[in-house]
Amino acid sequence: MAELAIEHIARIEGHGNIAVKVEEGRVLEVRMDVVEPARFFEAMVVGRRYDDAPLITSRICGICSPNHALTSIKAVEAALGVEVTERTTMLRKLLVYGSFLQNHATHLYVLAAPDFVGLDSVFPLAATHPEVVERALKIKSLGNRLTALVGGRPVHPVTAVVGGFTSEPKALDLASIHDQLLEVANDVLATVDLFASFALPDFASAGDMLALVESDDYAIYGGDIESLDRGWRRPVAEYRDVIVETSAGEGHGNAKHSRTTADGRTFMVGALPRINLSGDRLVPNAKAALARLGLVLPSRNPFHMNLCQAVELVDAAEHCAGYIERVIDMGGSSKPATVELGRECWGAGATEAPRGTLYHSYGIDANGIITSGDVITPTAQNLANLEADMRAFAPTVADRSPKEFELLIEQLVRSYDPCLSCSVH
Amino acid sequence: MADAPSVAIISLASDFGCQVQITNIDPGLLQVLGLIDLRYWQLTSSGHMPEEYDVAVIEGAVTTDEHIELLRRVRETASVVVAIGSCAVTGGIPALAGTIDADCRFAAVYGEDATVTPGLHSPVAISRYIDVDYIVPGCPIDTTEFLAVLGRALKGLSNGMPEQPLCASCKTHGNECFMRRGDLCLGIITRSGCDAKCTTLGRPCTGCRGLAPDANLEAARKVYAAFGHDFDEVVTALDLYNTDREVCR
Ligand code: SF4
Ligand code: SF4
């Protein structure tokens, strides 16, 4: 009999309880309960002006706030038919990558790594392995500086609005961040090596994997939704048709669960699905890192999420440096485009957040007042798949010591990098 | 570090943004952590809520019976309570949910058949339930201001929050006034101290720091009217962070 019940599992974003019970190879109970109170963001935007949507909904998550703000902006723009310049798009991609650098560094070093070195938190590492903690902070603070440079501050960007940017970074500051992005190359590669050195359980998730894909770039800011197993590809405007959201059921708290409409399967979103679907569009250094890891794609092992996040750090640094070069060279303007109201409309937007695809959509009336809102967060999409994985994985490790059993289950949960406050919105 | 003050960082209903700002203290998060005995921080460490600590740093709005109970316990334990972020200080954006009828809220998010969860309240500031000794307003908090207030709290000094509205500090940046351009800006009634961050970056103030204790609301009402903004428009804008007009100043 292997059993565990953890209240308020630590080192994840938000509050959640997990319970697992296995008896003679039979799973009696598996639960991942979200104990965050319901927050009603979708109801809160109704009745407010369209340009309040990004401001309000970005407070769903202060951890990936650039993604919420931009996804909301994209949905409003899609509804109102606002076209933005290429310069605006470039700057927005920098914000998304800033969010990747901040989040992946935090997740990998602060939240995930302690599991693999037998510690409760990252703080004792500061005494024993200062260089590791310094590296983590270096990558994270570079993400912060990039986000702050483009968005005005590291959390809840100020400058990104419907139609463009209210203020732009100075070319000199962009050039300086560009150099810092190149300088961090060794640190991001060392991150890949660090996570490559940790032994990972061998396990395959049975769910599908979804991510945005673009034909000419590693998709983080735009593209279509693609399914790894079924191969279908659909525009973001149809996200409601391809994903069904249901209440997670009795005892699960206020979270929701998602399945694909096509075959009713649970699915995964995040760094692993992204690399499975777009690995060939990573920058050369990131591809090389992938090859060094010996990861055979597609991988179905959720424990590989950490490795994929590390590879995405390599990709983010180099991709950003390239985008900055283009922003400096391209000219043009990111001044907010004018918005024309006067008709009822609806629009959807999506970006790849650090934890996976994030969808927003709004209905807007002729006066620019929001009439409906819908948000599907990465964690809301992942929860059902995570529970299915826990159910399949637990019996395979039920013979381990109680401590080890608990650690392995927690590792699985943390691999998904769940953001539980996001999952209840 | 026997006599370093012990600190617990606690979060209620929030988006974690202010805690993220604490992790963003840069450079020197580790130095700061060296000066205090950090007993509890669920975001970063496995470990249980301790029995004793000197200072409680609280993020987030109060929305459940559990939160209320937790707050009462915290107040009994901690000698100093610091509220961080708009959510904790004014109710912030979460409190906007309180402007919508509970049945509608649940229906919009969980479908028409959903029932209102028992024990769930409209989100409010923590000072609605317990005495708060220090505030760090803003959405999110500014790390420098957080460190300054924490330092003052540890030394037993006053909060040191500016009480004037934002306009004076906005002007020192040489910004063109949004009101003159026809935009509604809450800077004329919002507590300064953010160095006019948003207005300097080209966005009117949305009032995340709460109402300035020194703001003259009657005069402001006339100013808004003179610039063509009717009162409803101002109220809608103010509701974003400050639905609870009594606690927000
Ligand atoms: S004040 Fe703003 S940044 Fe801070 S927790 Fe609340 S919503 Fe997040
Ligand atoms: S300008 Fe207004 S909204 Fe912006 S940080 Fe200052 S008080 Fe908050």
Side-chain angles (χ1 to χ4, degrees), chain A residues 39 41 58-62 155-156, chain B residues 13-19 21 59-61 84-88 91-94 137-141 241:
Chain A
R39 302 196 299 155
F41 276 91
S58 59
R59 270 66 184 184
I60 289 174
C61 183
V155 174
H156 295 311
Chain B
S14 78
D15 76 347
F16 284 66
C18 290
Q19 290 186 73
Q21 282 290 75
E59 171 202 81
I84 62 164
S86 309
C87 300
I93 286 189
C139 179
I141 54 166
Y241 286 103

